[in-house]
Amino acid sequence: MLNQPLNLPCGAVVPNRMCKAAMTEGLAHPNGTASAELERLYGIWSDGGSGILLSGNIQVDGDHLERPGNVIVDSALSDDAFAALQRMAAAGTRNGNHLWAQISHAGRQTQKIVNPAPKAPSAVRLRLPQSQFGEPVALTTEEIQSIVERFVGCAVTCKEAGFTGVQFHSAHGYLLSQFLSPLTNQREDEWGGTLENRARALIAIVTQAREALGTNFPISVKLNSADFQKGGFDFDDSLTVAKWLADAGVDLLEISGGTYEQPRLLNLDGVEPIEEQSLARSTLAREAYFVDFAKAMREKLSIPIMVTGGLRRKEVMNHVLETGGADMIGLGRPLCVDADGPNRLLNGEDELARYEDNLSLLPSWLMWLTRFNAVRTINSFATQFWFYEQIASIGRTGATDPTLTVFSATMAQQKAASAWMTARKGR
Ligand SMILES: Cc1cc2nc3c(=O)[nH]c(=O)nc-3n(C[C@H](O)[C@H](O)[C@H](O)COP(=O)(O)O)c2cc1C
């Protein structure tokens, strides 16, 4: 049941089975420092009743942001920036819930305005219409080793600042997920080729982080069940990596899926038709996108599993928990507007709102254009701006605006992103 505590292998206890999934906030100062807006946002989310709050992805390298506005935690963190991180952590844990830092590096999915030549496992460009992404450059071995150190260093700093756990982001096509996929990792050295080599960076990060953080500190990994692309990282690969992660001491494995090219994490269409991989999709999986994968993984692993994507009805969440589908339920988009969603479910409401069902950049009379791949992809991406804007609004004022149009949200977010980058470059 949703209200039951969860004991993690490291000994930490999570007060209930709901986790606010990681959602990028875009609210840091242009130098990457946490802001008062982030403090307000995480305080409000803490009041909302989640057992765990996952932060939006905190970046280990300011040249490889997931987007303008990310928090950056690197070895150059100033005392003021550390104090700001402490304030964010204190606000986000003020109800005795957990707050875990999601730690990431965007690799080739770094936007061009941030870096026109981002580093990646191999020089394989994203296949997206009107790409806002640059031309990737393959990392050297020394650079890979330094990235491993950055992930571990960031985790240690977040622990010192008061975060109660960390999650390494190895899903959704970001750097660690690029390493895992044979489509984006075409290296011929010890970091590419076999699955063991492709997982080397991730496993090194988890192993070294466990050593640095101690045995009783929660470590999580967000892993794709699959990339849903022909020749990519598939479910059998994911299962093998999951076993290695369990052996390396991971406390909670979050199952998601997809990349920017194939955004299955949001159940959106990508650049090529989706091939269902390895598992037939059940009716349940149409609401909870990755639950069949999580269940199959849970049968083979002894560590707790969290499933995120599409879960809205309490009945379905409890069913997933009670039938061995997962140990934790990740909740994303509903909590961008209804920050108190978990408390609502605990206090008797049956479901969370599906805002995503009614969002489109295109007016209804132009929806026929979505039969074209490129238009559909752009339309799908634009709906994300609406959620970004709601999150920003909680941070700025404590309130949201569900009547906002996708068009206005897109304009506001584009403007904010370019102002942030201008301020960052002008520092
Ligand atoms: C606004 C927004 C920002 C997101 N940012 C992140 C992120 O920083 N890290 C991450 O792992 N996933 C991110 N995601 C994906 C969510 O964590 C989650 O996997 C996805 O929204 C599916 O869950 P849902 O159907 O409950 O929304 C984001 C999703 C949204 C809507």
Side-chain angles (χ1 to χ4, degrees):
M1 297 286 281
L2 284 178
N3 61 359
Q4 277 173 354
L6 175 69
N7 297 315
L8 297 175
C10 67
V13 181
V14 179
N16 65 46
R17 301 303 179 103
M18 287 170 288
C19 171
K20 183 207 73 73
M23 288 189 286
T24 170
E25 316 89 357
L27 289 173
H29 292 298
N31 62 359
T33 304
S35 59
E37 284 83 0
L38 282 165
E39 209 180 313
R40 180 178 298 114
L41 174 66
Y42 279 91
I44 290 173
W45 268 331
S46 170
D47 298 343
S50 296
I52 304 175
L53 299 177
L54 272 163
S55 73
N57 51 163
I58 292 178
Q59 299 299 317
V60 301
D61 178 354
D63 291 333
H64 292 88
L65 304 179
E66 166 266 338
R67 72 164 165 132
N70 287 151
V71 174
I72 303 164
V73 173
D74 58 17
S75 57
L77 200 75
S78 68
D79 289 348
D80 284 351
F82 182 73
L85 203 59
Q86 280 181 311
R87 287 194 294 275
M88 175 179 163
T93 51
R94 70 185 181 195
N95 290 279
N97 57 288
H98 278 267
L99 170 62
W100 294 0
Q102 188 188 60
I103 302 177
S104 187
H105 179 298
R108 72 173 191 152
Q109 289 187 168
T110 305
Q111 295 171 26
K112 221 188 265 175
I113 51 165
V114 174
N115 185 345
K119 297 285 171 72
S122 302
V124 182
R125 205 180 174 163
L126 272 156
R127 290 179 302 138
L128 282 176
Q130 296 180 359
S131 187
Q132 329 157 28
F133 303 94
E135 197 68 55
V137 177
L139 286 155
T140 64
T141 288
E142 293 70 36
E143 285 169 338
I144 297 172
Q145 276 154 350
S146 132
I147 287 174
V148 170
E149 283 164 24
R150 279 175 181 265
F151 270 87
V152 178
C154 175
V156 170
T157 305
C158 290
K159 179 184 176 187
E160 287 167 357
F163 286 79
T164 60
V166 290
Q167 180 182 71
F168 298 114
H169 194 352
S170 187
H172 304 169
Y174 295 110
L175 184 81
L176 296 178
S177 147
Q178 288 159 35
F179 268 105
L180 291 174
S181 170
L183 293 176
T184 44
N185 180 350
Q186 300 178 352
R187 302 179 71 93
E188 292 176 352
D189 58 8
E190 74 269 35
W191 307 99
T194 63
L195 183 59
E196 193 184 358
N197 283 352
R198 284 182 274 127
R200 191 176 299 284
L202 172 62
I203 302 296
I205 289 167
V206 172
T207 309
Q208 292 176 32
R210 178 51 81 206
E211 261 175 53
L213 298 169
T215 50
N216 55 7
F217 192 75
I219 298 180
S220 171
V221 167
K222 189 164 185 171
L223 186 69
N224 272 358
S225 51
D227 294 344
F228 301 97
Q229 286 181 289
K230 202 177 262 168
F233 183 72
D234 65 18
F235 185 64
D236 291 337
D237 291 340
S238 181
L239 191 55
T240 308
V241 172
K243 283 187 194 143
W244 293 336
L245 290 170
D247 292 344
V250 162
D251 290 286
L252 182 70
L253 189 67
E254 180 182 359
I255 303 303
S256 187
T259 63
Y260 279 8
E261 288 176 350
Q262 211 64 356
R264 278 301 294 276
L265 53 143
L266 300 164
N267 210 23
L268 298 176
D269 291 324
V271 291
E272 59 189 56
I274 285 173
E275 291 204 357
E276 291 305 340
Q277 298 198 4
S278 309
L279 294 173
R281 273 158 65 75
S282 66
T283 317
L284 176 62
R286 274 179 257 286
E287 165 155 355
Y289 320 140
F290 302 112
V291 80
D292 287 343
F293 291 102
K295 189 163 193 224
M297 203 164 257
R298 200 167 172 275
E299 279 160 13
K300 303 256 170 21
L301 294 177
S302 55
I303 55 167
I305 302 280
M306 168 160 130
V307 68
T308 305
L311 287 138
R312 303 290 178 264
R313 283 187 291 152
K314 184 160 74 178
E315 189 190 347
V316 172
M317 297 175 203
N318 278 326
H319 176 80
V320 168
L321 293 172
E322 281 158 18
T323 56
D327 303 277
M328 274 307 280
I329 302 291
L331 302 171
R333 287 163 288 183
L335 309 197
C336 298
V337 184
D338 304 316
D340 59 346
N343 274 339
R344 290 186 191 193
L345 294 177
L346 291 176
N347 294 331
E349 282 191 28
D350 291 331
E351 63 185 305
L352 301 172
R354 282 169 213 282
Y355 293 102
E356 60 275 15
D357 288 354
N358 301 314
L359 295 176
S360 171
L361 181 61
L362 296 171
S364 52
W365 58 276
L366 281 179
M367 279 309 279
W368 60 273
L369 284 170
T370 56
R371 77 172 69 140
F372 300 107
N373 242 355
V375 177
R376 200 169 55 238
T377 307
I378 290 166
N379 197 45
S380 299
F381 270 102
T383 61
Q384 275 299 87
F385 291 122
W386 189 88
F387 290 104
Y388 288 175
E389 197 53 24
Q390 302 297 342
I391 291 176
S393 176
I394 302 178
R396 285 192 295 254
T397 67
T400 56
D401 178 10
T403 64
L404 186 76
T405 63
V406 174
F407 182 77
S408 313
T410 306
M411 292 297 116
Q413 281 290 319
Q414 299 282 24
K415 200 170 150 202
S418 69
W420 194 91
M421 276 319 297
T422 307
R424 180 164 176 77
K425 284 175 185 154
R427 278 177 311 142

